[in-house]
Amino acid sequence: MVENMMLENGAAKIRARNVCVDYSGQRAINKVDIDIPGNCVTALIGPSGCGKTSFLRCLNRMNDIIENCVVSGDITLDDEDIYGPQVDAVVLRRRIGMVFQKPNPFPKSIFENVAYGPRIHGLAKTRADLQALVEASLGRAGLWDEVKDRLDMPATRLSGGQQQRLCIARAIAVEPDVILMDEPCSALDPIATAKIEALIDELKEKYTIVIVTHSMQQAARISQRTAFFHLGDLVEQGETESVFSNPKDARTGAYVTGRIG
Amino acid sequence: MTENISPSRLSSQALPGVERRHRKEQIFRRLGLGAILTSLLFLMFFLALIVARGHGAFLETVILVDYHFDHETLDIDQAVSQNDLANANYRSVIRAAMRELAPEVSGRSARRDLYGILGAGTEYDLRDLIIAQPSLLGTTAGIWTPSSDEFHLFHRNGGDRASRQSTRLSPLQIELYAELDNAGRIKTRFNWTFLSSGDSRDPEQAGVWGAVKGSILTLGICFLLSFGVGTLAAIYLEEFASKNWVMRVLEVNINNLAAVPSITYGLLGLAVFLNFFGLPRSAALVGGLVLFLMTLPTIIISSRVALQAVPPSIREAALAVGASRVQTVFHHVAPLALPGMLTGSIIGMARALGETAPLLMIGMVAFIVDPPSGVLDPSSALPVQVYLWAESPERAFAEKTAGAIMVLLVFLITMNLAAILLRRKFEKRW
Ligand SMILES: Nc1ncnc2c1ncn2[C@@H]1O[C@H](COP(=O)(O)OP(=O)(O)O)[C@@H](O)[C@H]1O
Ligand SMILES: [Mg+2]
């Protein structure tokens, strides 16, 4: 990895060094070094099966629950090792939220979906606080106007795009620092996708966002930085502009122009 | 119009083999329907047989007898205490009343036949009546009194020539029957005794309540333990245990235990609960423990299936907002799996309800008259009661056996209905 591609020390919110992921000895991610700056959108792109999801799930230790998955290397959040012995994955996941590829609301009411996180972390003292927090989160996710009259409705009856925005509201309700998104628009139609993209653009003011996408146009539209993965390797990373217009690696060039993938 | 000239390009003739495929489907449908009808037919036949045999157990034949409750015959003073009433001579009241009913009967053996048409429990029924209503003392009261079981069978068979050939009533008793019947002193009514009393040597006094209560207590203990332990074990195995070889061995053994013959659990219960821990014989507590061990593997297996059916994305969603594993399981996964776990448990209970063999081993087969008032009291259970009565030589018990099977079936249907309702209630939430 070219050293000058890295950010200056201290400028990175998340820093990964030499990260490898193995599933039952099968390597899925090979020695990835990356710096993810705060308050900006970083896109992870690459052909399917190249390990984007695997890498993303390292960042909030979601891989811990996969029985045969081994993660090695160092990952820090604000210069603290997230795999360190005193780190509690529960606390870590409160600070690094996640939105999944397929919308996965709880089979409960819309209100309960958003209120669940704040409730278990004791973020709201009173019922009124909780209601305010739910309203604020739904508002920031751009869903409040659509659901404010039916907060008691089962979340599973919302449309796919609404469900995904609900999942984003659920993630931001616990006030994390970082939000990881794994192809959040892959199951959505173009209008819902546009809404979520606009939302991501707003959210970056407050949060650090890492988004996996298989759509290069989407990466180009919403991200400030882009990392290109290929067959488990991080091939190239940098400013989105330069990765797309001036790729240093031949494979990146081939992918962004649609020749591989 | 066009079909007459050239066949449609979309008809089944247009594609070779399609007609054969349709025929195969037809054959399969007929076979399936046939299978269902056959099993329904057998079920109906079985039910009809049981009801035909057993409905008589819910009926009793009663005779209108006029009793004189005078102090002299009862052999008590004018000022009576409760104790006197309990020990009064009701037998002589009954005998006097019966003699009055048929004054022409004389001689020792003839009189014995006369008294024998009443049920053996009449004395106690009258005693309870007088204790409850002392105001009847000194009066004459016409009371519909349950007849003996042979008399009941004779009446139920219609009292005609055919029933005369099969009855064990004496010729005098048959004559008395005709006389009383003409006088309108015989009728059939619902037999509450069968539902409200415990076992007895006398068929007309025997009831299923003791066995029903025993079954309720036994199954209650069994359900509490096996649902609690079974679901917790399933949750642990499914959600927390790492999938190493120890767990695999455990899993295989749980599957094996589910297939162990039930009598083995009875032997285990005998050795462990009775001989080692010294718990009382025939107690509902021990029965419940034995049935708990028997149903536990089944409940673990069905609960694990219910947990596996919860989509992993729900677990990920909860973990991703910072829920701990325990919170994830108890707030999200277990509630979703609950209907399935409940259904599995109640199916296990239904199996436990019908079990006889393990209960025989721990002494629940004893002849027990009083319904149990607690889990440590000697008690019976419905299937054991069926077994006991089926073994009994008295003819009237054949009817009681079928009646007890009917009660067992109603119990079973109630339980399954409860399972469906519970399932609905918990599933309805989403
Ligand atoms: N749970 C798992 N067990 C085994 N192999 C896995 C598992 N998850 C992912 N993989 C493998 O790891 C590689 C990378 O997968 P993934 O991270 O999902 O790729 P992407 O998200 O870029 O499509 C693939 O070859 C995939 O088969
Ligand atoms: Mg993926």
Side-chain angles (χ1 to χ4, degrees):
Chain A
M1 186 53 47
V2 193
E3 264 317 306
N4 62 15
M5 302 287 294
M6 291 291 151
L7 297 167
E8 296 302 312
N9 248 2
K13 183 83 181 169
I14 295 176
R15 177 174 292 126
R17 288 294 175 272
N18 214 13
V19 172
C20 303
V21 178
D22 298 79
Y23 294 105
S24 316
Q26 192 88 17
R27 183 136 294 192
I29 281 288
N30 189 32
K31 296 188 187 150
V32 166
D33 295 349
I34 191 172
D35 285 346
I36 293 165
N39 293 79
C40 112
V41 179
T42 303
L44 310 183
I45 61 169
S48 83
C50 68
K52 306 177 296 289
T53 299
S54 301
F55 178 72
L56 192 73
R57 290 168 62 99
C58 294
L59 303 181
N60 66 344
R61 290 183 55 171
M62 214 57 178
N63 282 335
D64 288 12
I65 61 167
I66 298 179
E67 198 84 30
N68 59 351
C69 178
V70 178
V71 178
S72 61
D74 298 312
I75 301 174
T76 60
L77 171 70
D78 294 329
D79 294 320
E80 187 181 350
D81 182 7
I82 67 166
Y83 283 87
Q86 76 283 25
V87 170
D88 186 339
V90 168
V91 180
L92 175 76
R93 292 192 197 119
R94 209 220 113 176
R95 292 192 51 203
I96 305 184
M98 189 162 193
V99 176
F100 296 84
Q101 186 165 359
K102 218 178 116 229
N104 58 351
F106 298 129
K108 296 176 188 275
S109 71
I110 294 171
F111 182 88
E112 278 306 312
N113 262 276
V114 184
Y116 180 69
R119 193 176 282 145
I120 59 172
H121 296 300
L123 298 186
K125 299 243 161 12
T126 63
R127 176 91 194 160
D129 281 359
L130 190 63
Q131 266 157 353
L133 187 55
V134 168
E135 179 176 347
S137 306
L138 285 170
R140 267 192 283 160
L143 196 59
W144 175 251
D145 289 332
E146 284 160 68
V147 301
K148 62 174 182 243
D149 301 322
R150 42 179 181 160
L151 292 175
D152 292 329
M153 194 181 82
T156 41
R157 274 195 231 148
L158 292 171
S159 75
Q162 289 173 323
Q163 287 189 17
Q164 197 62 296
R165 278 180 284 151
L166 180 67
C167 290
I168 294 174
R170 180 175 69 189
I172 56 187
V174 296
E175 291 157 19
D177 301 349
V178 181
I179 301 177
L180 310 177
M181 298 185 177
D182 190 359
E183 303 196 29
C185 305
S186 68
L188 306 183
D189 63 85
I191 294 171
T193 302
K195 280 190 181 159
I196 292 196
E197 285 182 5
L199 174 60
I200 290 169
D201 210 45
E202 279 170 39
L203 291 176
K204 76 166 188 287
E205 308 297 329
K206 237 186 129 185
Y207 307 98
T208 302
I209 293 175
V210 186
I211 178 168
V212 170
T213 171
H214 61 256
S215 149
M216 289 158 297
Q217 292 85 341
Q218 186 172 57
R221 280 195 298 269
I222 60 174
S223 72
Q224 285 72 57
R225 291 181 67 80
T226 295
F228 172 62
F229 285 75
H230 187 66
L231 300 177
D233 292 314
L234 176 56
V235 174
E236 184 163 349
Q237 58 170 317
E239 300 286 331
T240 299
E241 284 255 342
S242 67
V243 171
F244 276 84
S245 57
N246 191 15
K248 303 214 166 28
D249 193 287
R251 288 168 293 177
T252 318
Y255 183 72
V256 297
T257 53
R259 271 177 284 133
I260 57 168
Chain B
M1 297 161 268
T2 38
E3 291 106 76
N4 293 340
I5 307 155
S6 67
S8 161
R9 292 181 54 214
L10 297 177
S11 80
S12 45
Q13 281 89 13
L15 200 61
V18 170
E19 289 209 305
R20 212 187 36 184
R21 270 149 59 187
H22 286 323
R23 252 197 322 278
K24 275 191 175 169
E25 184 180 322
Q26 279 295 326
I27 292 172
F28 177 76
R29 282 183 175 215
R30 297 230 171 94
L31 280 176
L33 204 65
I36 289 173
L37 284 180
T38 315
S39 39
L40 264 181
L41 210 70
F42 272 108
L43 191 69
M44 296 308 282
F45 177 69
F46 166 73
L47 280 180
L49 202 71
I50 292 289
V51 172
R53 288 237 179 116
H55 77 282
F58 297 92
L59 300 173
E60 65 180 356
T61 301
V62 283
I63 304 169
L64 181 61
V65 184
D66 302 314
Y67 298 101
H68 305 290
F69 294 110
D70 52 279
H71 294 79
E72 207 171 314
T73 323
L74 281 167
D75 195 16
I76 47 176
D77 299 331
Q78 284 295 331
V80 287
S81 65
Q82 281 298 99
N83 197 29
D84 289 339
L85 285 183
N87 295 316
N89 192 351
Y90 294 99
R91 186 174 300 180
S92 54
V93 171
I94 296 169
R95 292 188 169 177
M98 291 306 282
R99 281 197 300 274
E100 198 183 294
L101 212 55
E104 73 283 2
V105 176
S106 61
R108 266 179 77 104
S109 78
R111 287 257 166 89
R112 201 164 47 236
D113 280 356
L114 172 64
Y115 305 147
I117 65 174
L118 286 189
T122 311
E123 275 181 58
Y124 311 108
D125 291 346
L126 290 185
R127 181 192 64 195
D128 295 344
L129 179 72
I130 292 296
I131 290 176
Q133 297 178 45
S135 61
L136 284 175
L137 279 176
T139 66
T140 296
I143 293 169
W144 288 99
T145 316
S147 73
S148 72
D149 51 304
E150 279 298 336
F151 201 81
H152 167 64
L153 285 180
F154 186 76
H155 178 57
R156 290 246 311 113
N157 289 338
D160 53 16
R161 187 170 293 134
S163 57
R164 268 163 222 228
Q165 270 156 14
S166 64
T167 187
R168 290 200 194 116
L169 291 183
S170 70
L172 173 66
Q173 285 175 323
I174 294 175
E175 231 170 85
L176 284 168
Y177 171 81
E179 222 173 273
L180 290 170
D181 203 23
N182 284 338
R185 284 182 176 266
I186 297 180
K187 69 172 184 184
T188 306
R189 68 176 185 196
F190 190 78
N191 183 4
W192 284 107
T193 314
F194 184 65
L195 290 182
S196 65
S197 72
D199 199 4
S200 168
R201 296 278 183 222
D202 295 308
E204 73 271 12
Q205 278 178 276
V208 288
W209 178 236
V212 169
K213 208 169 168 193
S215 275
I216 291 174
L217 289 174
T218 309
L219 286 184
I221 288 172
C222 175
F223 180 77
L224 287 182
L225 286 173
S226 55
F227 186 71
V229 176
T231 50
L232 284 180
I235 287 174
Y236 178 78
L237 288 173
E238 209 43 55
E239 306 287 329
F240 295 97
S242 55
K243 311 266 178 291
N244 55 24
W245 68 269
V246 181
M247 287 304 148
R248 271 198 287 279
V249 170
L250 203 66
E251 198 172 326
V252 170
N253 277 310
I254 289 171
N255 292 342
N256 283 337
L257 282 178
V260 164
S262 58
I263 196 159
T264 319
Y265 289 100
L267 287 168
L268 178 79
L270 177 64
V272 176
F273 300 125
L274 298 191
N275 295 345
F276 186 75
F277 286 112
L279 291 172
R281 285 181 75 79
S282 316
L285 175 66
V286 182
L289 284 168
V290 167
L291 294 181
F292 151 61
L293 292 179
M294 191 194 82
T295 48
L296 184 62
T298 327
I299 290 181
I300 293 179
I301 293 170
S302 59
S303 299
R304 288 185 69 175
V305 172
L307 287 165
Q308 281 161 8
V310 176
S313 62
I314 297 295
R315 295 180 182 83
E316 292 190 329
L319 289 172
V321 292
S324 67
R325 275 167 78 152
V326 171
Q327 285 172 326
T328 303
V329 169
F330 285 95
H331 295 169
H332 300 285
V333 181
L336 287 175
L338 190 62
M341 299 201 281
L342 269 176
T343 309
S345 302
I346 292 182
I347 289 171
M349 288 303 110
R351 195 189 145 207
L353 172 66
E355 275 302 336
T356 325
L359 300 184
L360 300 186
M361 300 311 299
I362 54 148
M364 283 184 89
V365 70
F367 172 71
I368 289 148
V369 175
D370 296 320
S373 52
V375 294
L376 289 173
D377 286 352
S379 115
S380 177
L382 267 172
V384 182
Q385 191 68 74
V386 170
Y387 169 78
L388 279 174
W389 283 348
E391 293 276 277
S392 169
E394 304 225 27
R395 283 199 314 159
F397 273 124
E399 200 174 61
K400 303 277 164 187
T401 309
I405 292 175
M406 284 168 68
V407 174
L408 186 72
L409 289 177
V410 169
F411 202 132
L412 200 72
I413 291 167
T414 313
M415 262 166 64
N416 285 337
L417 218 60
I420 293 170
L421 290 180
L422 277 174
R423 209 193 154 92
R424 281 261 183 82
K425 179 172 156 39
F426 286 111
E427 264 179 352
K428 219 182 213 165
R429 297 209 309 226
W430 304 109

Coordinates of all heavy atoms in Angstrom, one line a residue, chain A residues 53 101 182-183, ligand 2:
Chain A
T53 N -18.7 -6.6 2.3 CA -19.5 -6.9 3.5 C -18.6 -7.4 4.6 O -18.7 -7.0 5.8 CB -20.6 -7.9 3.2 OG1 -21.4 -7.3 2.2 CG2 -21.5 -8.1 4.4
Q101 N -28.2 -4.7 4.2 CA -28.6 -4.7 2.8 C -30.1 -4.9 2.6 O -30.7 -4.2 1.9 CB -27.9 -5.9 2.1 CG -28.1 -6.0 0.6 CD -27.0 -6.9 0.0 OE1 -26.2 -7.5 0.7 NE2 -27.1 -7.0 -1.3
D182 N -24.6 -1.3 4.5 CA -24.2 -2.4 3.5 C -25.2 -2.4 2.4 O -26.3 -2.9 2.5 CB -24.2 -3.7 4.3 CG -23.6 -4.8 3.4 OD1 -23.2 -4.5 2.3 OD2 -23.5 -5.9 3.9
E183 N -24.9 -1.8 1.3 CA -25.7 -1.7 0.1 C -27.2 -1.4 0.5 O -28.1 -2.2 0.2 CB -25.7 -3.1 -0.7 CG -24.3 -3.4 -1.1 CD -24.3 -4.5 -2.2 OE1 -25.2 -4.6 -2.9 OE2 -23.3 -5.3 -2.2
Ligands
MG2 MG -22.2 -7.9 0.4

